[in-house]
Amino acid sequence: GNSSAGDVMGGYQPSVTDVTKAHQPSSDDNQPPKSGGGTLQRIKFYPFVLFGCYLFATIRRVAEWASTDHVAPFGIAACQVFTSALLGTCNAILYGF
């Protein structure tokens, strides 16, 4: 059969008005791109989350090293277990929502 460009494009024929509107410069063309709230913007918080979640682990290691029996106080150990377990939760909140 006879096929034309109209059949290929699903019957849509762009009019002169459509083509003219497509080529009109808009005021947004010269604007710098806006910084979005995407993952790259959130990634700057990762060092703070990592530092916060591993702070008590570092304190616990120093306390274990400094003590004579190499056992950290219970409060520091409890804080270390709790904050280390929060790393996944903090990442989920920061990047997932």
Side-chain angles (χ1 to χ4, degrees):
N2 291 337
S3 68
S4 66
D7 293 334
V8 174
M9 295 179 69
Y12 174 72
Q13 296 292 328
S15 67
V16 176
T17 307
D18 292 338
V19 174
T20 308
K21 285 181 184 175
H23 291 295
Q24 284 180 347
S26 67
S27 62
D28 295 336
D29 289 345
N30 295 329
Q31 300 295 327
K34 296 176 182 169
S35 59
T39 304
L40 290 177
Q41 287 292 72
R42 295 185 212 178
I43 223 165
K44 64 184 173 188
F45 296 113
Y46 182 75
F48 298 109
V49 170
L50 192 67
F51 179 78
C53 289
Y54 284 127
L55 176 66
F56 284 103
T58 304
I59 293 171
R60 181 180 180 179
R61 285 293 186 184
V62 170
E64 286 175 351
W65 175 77
S67 69
T68 55
D69 57 354
H70 298 292
V71 176
F74 177 77
I76 293 174
C79 287
Q80 182 264 321
V81 169
F82 179 71
T83 56
S84 293
L86 280 181
L87 182 62
T89 305
C90 290
N91 281 334
I93 291 169
L94 191 60
Y95 301 118
F97 299 110

